[in-house]
Amino acid sequence: MQLLRALVPPPGVVRVLTVSNLARTVGNGFLLSVSVLYFIRAVHVPAAQVGLGLTVSAVLGMAVSIPAGQLSDKLGSRTASIAFGVLQGLLVCGYALAGGFAGFLAVVSLAAMADSASTAARGALIADALPPGERVRARAYLQSVINVGLSGGTLLGGVALTADSRTVYTAMLLGAGALFVLGGLSCFALPAPAQSAEAAGERARHVLRDVPYLAVSALNAVLVLGTDALLTAALPIWIADRTDAPVSVYAAIMFLNTAMCVLFQVRLSRGAEDVRGGARAMRRSGLVLALACGIFALSAGQPAWVAAACLLAGAFVQVIGEMLHSAGSWALSYDLAPAQAHGQYQGLFGLTQRAGAAVTPALTTALLIGWGSAGWLVFAAVLLAGGLATPAVARWAERNRPFATERTAAEPAATAA
């Protein structure tokens, strides 16, 4: 009971953001479960064209991350979060009106760009609405909600799929759009910033000129290779092609991952509230993810029950590394960014997350399916190198910040007091 009570977000800003996130993630669960089948079975877009359209939309979503973050900095993160959230919801409702490949491509591309823009704005909103020391804990609550919302939305969508009718598909898509709109509008409950940094006359250099921050972001992309996409893209293929474990073990692995993230993300985020703590969490993440890869490698050539045990043990270790990575990446993305440009800096960090997830399927297929257990060891070495390099690069980025962050600016005042 005490563990469950600890999952309830504190009242105020974090609770409002949690409710908003829950609406959005349930909507995402609906989309994940029904959108592809809707376009294939109801709109009659060929499967190959659906795959092409989703790839194009993912690339466009990454392309707008930084410009959308800049727009968020100009409009204000609260205003941008509302606007992008409502826009995304309306575009998702537009899925129900799409006809043929051209309509499908247009609506999924626009929706992906709106989702990317909303992600950047909402990341900045957390920075604007909360003091530095509370942001990572807030993100941990929101990450727990993401797992709950996605699971619930996907489950409900899966139940709806049993009807396999255009009417049900359309209803689910309209429901998803309404939830995105609700998630955006709920940000009205947050207090508006008293004064924007731009209004105060402060300016930040473009994030792409901040080489140390780019380096930290690149290492983040490396560690992303060992998180969600590893489980969703690589592990099912590995289980089916390289082990004698029953494929049903994959369902247990996904349940374990979701349950662990819901129950322990907040707890494992403690101590990662600043640059030093975040870098330490990223280093530990690299070590733990590398260990998980080694355990997964042991499942090849084993009897079914041994292979299943190795896979479950590897999944347990992997989710710990995933949660450490989340906490560390949140701390570094916020504390190394200027106060007046959280939108574009969150946009870049979101871009690295998407890029890492996009590369993972092709990379893991080539390594793991092509090389077998040796591929896991190569993958482990990459993750280990990324984790071990992060503290030194983070210290370099901290030394070379050309601005005073909220945390450092507050220290003299606290000392004087």
Side-chain angles (χ1 to χ4, degrees):
M1 287 298 294
Q2 184 176 359
L3 179 60
L4 294 177
R5 282 196 298 269
L7 299 178
V8 178
V13 170
V14 179
R15 189 164 294 178
V16 171
L17 289 171
T18 299
V19 171
S20 175
N21 232 39
L22 181 61
R24 288 177 53 81
T25 51
V26 172
N28 259 326
F30 287 177
L31 279 185
L32 288 173
S33 57
V34 306
S35 59
V36 171
L37 287 176
Y38 167 75
F39 285 115
I40 292 175
R41 298 178 69 86
V43 184
H44 304 297
V45 178
Q49 291 185 351
V50 169
L52 174 62
L54 294 176
T55 301
V56 170
S57 68
V59 172
L60 291 174
M62 288 189 283
V64 303
S65 290
I66 296 175
Q70 290 178 292
L71 182 58
S72 173
D73 292 329
K74 292 180 180 180
L75 296 176
S77 58
R78 176 174 172 267
T79 299
S81 295
I82 295 168
F84 291 145
V86 171
L87 176 61
Q88 184 182 5
L90 294 176
L91 289 168
V92 168
C93 289
Y95 280 25
L97 304 176
F101 176 68
F104 156 71
L105 181 61
V107 73
V108 296
S109 296
L110 291 171
M113 289 189 282
D115 177 62
S116 182
S118 182
T119 299
R122 292 170 72 84
L125 180 60
I126 294 171
D128 292 340
L130 294 167
E134 297 179 17
R135 294 170 185 164
V136 171
R137 185 170 177 81
R139 288 293 296 261
Y141 279 116
L142 298 182
Q143 186 66 27
S144 296
V145 166
I146 286 174
N147 285 278
V148 172
L150 279 177
S151 298
T154 303
L155 179 62
L156 291 173
V159 172
L161 287 178
T162 58
D164 193 24
S165 74
R166 179 166 188 150
T167 300
V168 174
Y169 289 144
T170 301
M172 295 297 292
L173 292 172
L174 292 176
L179 286 168
F180 283 116
V181 171
L182 176 62
L185 292 178
S186 63
C187 293
F188 273 118
L190 296 171
Q195 184 182 30
S196 70
E198 283 198 348
E202 299 178 24
R203 294 184 61 84
R205 65 184 177 186
H206 195 283
V207 65
L208 294 180
R209 295 182 178 180
D210 192 339
V211 176
Y213 194 90
L214 285 171
V216 172
S217 300
L219 290 174
N220 176 64
V222 170
L223 290 175
V224 166
L225 299 175
T227 57
D228 288 342
L230 179 68
L231 289 188
T232 58
L235 208 57
I237 300 174
W238 172 261
I239 293 171
D241 286 4
R242 289 284 188 165
T243 77
D244 292 324
V247 292
S248 59
V249 75
Y250 182 65
I253 287 171
M254 294 307 295
F255 176 81
L256 174 66
N257 181 273
T258 301
M260 291 281 288
C261 285
V262 170
L263 294 173
F264 297 107
Q265 180 66 75
V266 174
R267 179 169 295 187
L268 280 179
S269 298
R270 293 172 186 167
E273 291 83 7
D274 54 18
V275 174
R276 180 175 297 180
R280 184 168 56 245
M282 293 283 270
R283 182 186 64 211
R284 292 172 177 170
S285 172
L287 290 166
V288 173
L289 290 173
L291 175 60
C293 289
I295 298 174
F296 285 139
L298 296 176
S299 62
Q302 302 293 337
W305 72 271
V306 176
C310 290
L311 291 167
L312 287 169
F316 177 81
V317 174
Q318 185 275 339
V319 72
I320 294 174
E322 180 180 324
M323 290 186 285
L324 288 170
H325 165 262
S326 294
S329 66
W330 297 329
L332 297 181
S333 70
Y334 285 127
D335 268 33
L336 293 174
Q340 67 273 28
H342 276 296
Q344 62 168 311
Y345 275 67
Q346 286 299 308
L348 173 65
F349 232 74
L351 172 60
T352 65
Q353 296 277 146
R354 292 169 185 263
V359 168
T360 301
L363 180 61
T364 54
T365 300
L367 282 177
L368 306 184
I369 307 307
W371 295 10
S373 296
W376 278 113
L377 300 182
V378 173
F379 205 60
V382 171
L383 296 171
L384 180 61
L388 293 178
T390 299
V393 176
R395 287 194 298 270
W396 172 49
E398 189 174 28
R399 288 195 304 268
N400 287 276
R401 288 180 294 182
F403 51 82
T405 64
E406 306 100 313
R407 190 185 299 277
T408 56
E411 287 173 357
T415 303

